[in-house]
């Protein structure tokens, strides 16, 4: 997972963009899911950090039922990704909590959890953090993408979470599967998603369809958005 970033030092309104897409070149044996995001963390238009993380790997480890210590044999292991836009406090807290809980699943019989079940579990964590933080900051919003290969179906998938400020206490938090059957599909989050969508279309229009450059175009499109934001004197991606 790669992130585009810049080093401009001036203060300016932040523009956030996250992109996630399936790469399935015919010359490749395996499909892969790519994710890219900016790295600026800010609050109320004020820059906090230029090298912040918005994409996290999460290990899902199931251990055999017998025994109680960490030395139990690993029954299954897989990795998924989380990329977010919105509240950095919610995003980082969700990633850390999910990693701690899913990294040491014990006493679990049967098949491993599906990617949908993993995404729903993370959605409940994110919803709780969004609700709690929203009590202190009513403007808190959070969106995220959960992506990876389903441990059961062994197929790639991307799931989306979107929470408004102060989600209802009784609201059932669930992740929504994104249709990635179209090779051109690129899932975008953040205030800069319209600029990013136009940049992806422009980049892909300059190269042959389904070529290596076509599949990697979203990554370079994010860099284009950074340059556009700088030229427009709106600061860098945030």
């Amino acid at each position: 997972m790669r992130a585009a970033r810049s080093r401009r030092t001036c203060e300016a309104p932040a523009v956030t963009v996250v992109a996630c897409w399936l790469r399935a070149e015919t010359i490749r044996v395996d499909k892969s899911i790519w994710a890219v995001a900016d790295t600026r963390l800010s609050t109320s238009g004020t820059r906090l950090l230029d090298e912040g993380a918005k994409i996290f790997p999460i290990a899902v480890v199931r251990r055999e039922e017998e025994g109680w210590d960490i030395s139990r044999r690993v029954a299954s292991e897989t990795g998924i990704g989380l990329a977010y836009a919105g509240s950095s406090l919610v995003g980082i807290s969700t990633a850390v909590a999910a990693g701690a809980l899913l990294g040491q699943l014990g006493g679990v019989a049967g098949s491993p959890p599906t990617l949908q079940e993993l995404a729903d579990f993370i959605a409940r964590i994110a919803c709780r953090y969004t609700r709690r933080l929203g009590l202190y900051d009513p403007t808190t919003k959070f969106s995220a993408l959960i992506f990876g290969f389903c441990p059961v179906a062994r197929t790639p998938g991307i799931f989306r979470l979107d929470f408004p400020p102060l989600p209802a206490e009784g609201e059932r938090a669930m992740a929504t599967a994104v249709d990635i059957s179209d090779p051109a599909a690129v899932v975008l989050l953040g205030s800069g998603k319209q600029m990013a969508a136009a940049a992806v279309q422009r980049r892909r229009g300059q190269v042959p369809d389904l070529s290596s450059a076509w599949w990697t175009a979203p990554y370079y499109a994010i860099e284009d958005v950074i340059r556009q934001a700088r030229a427009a004197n709106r600061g860098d991606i945030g």
Side-chain angles (χ1 to χ4, degrees), residues 27-216:
I27 61 173
R28 293 174 63 90
V29 176
D30 298 318
K31 296 179 180 179
S32 59
I33 295 180
W34 283 37
V36 61
D38 68 277
T39 60
R40 172 171 288 186
L41 304 184
S42 59
T43 180
S44 301
T46 300
R47 181 181 58 195
L48 300 177
L49 185 66
D50 276 339
E51 289 80 24
K54 294 185 180 179
I55 304 176
F56 296 89
I58 297 175
V60 182
V61 182
R62 294 169 64 249
R63 296 186 178 273
E64 59 188 8
E65 292 185 84
E66 297 182 359
W68 295 98
D69 59 24
I70 197 171
S71 64
R72 288 175 299 168
R73 184 179 63 85
V74 172
S76 67
E77 184 174 4
T78 189
I80 59 176
L82 180 153
Y84 76 89
S87 170
S88 295
L89 184 56
V90 172
I92 295 171
S93 298
T94 298
V96 172
L101 294 170
L102 294 176
Q104 292 295 335
L105 296 178
V108 182
S111 300
T114 65
L115 186 57
Q116 175 76 70
E117 290 170 335
L118 293 170
D120 287 343
F121 177 75
I122 294 173
R124 290 192 290 272
I125 296 175
C127 185
R128 182 179 180 88
Y129 278 124
T130 304
R131 183 184 299 124
R132 296 298 185 186
L133 184 58
L135 295 175
Y136 302 96
D137 181 2
T139 65
T140 300
K141 294 186 293 184
F142 182 74
S143 297
L145 301 174
I146 309 299
F147 54 92
F149 282 73
C150 178
V152 178
R154 300 186 181 280
T155 54
I158 302 174
F159 291 82
R160 180 166 180 156
L161 326 175
D162 289 288
F163 297 118
L166 285 173
E169 187 71 33
E171 181 178 334
R172 186 179 180 186
M174 297 182 66
T176 302
V178 179
D179 183 4
I180 55 174
S181 59
D182 182 356
V186 179
V187 189
L188 297 166
L189 299 179
S191 57
K193 62 183 179 182
Q194 292 182 337
M195 295 171 61
V200 170
Q201 185 175 12
R202 182 168 55 252
R203 276 275 182 177
R204 283 184 163 173
Q206 297 171 353
V207 296
D209 287 351
L210 306 183
S211 64
S212 180
W214 187 89
W215 287 109
T216 58

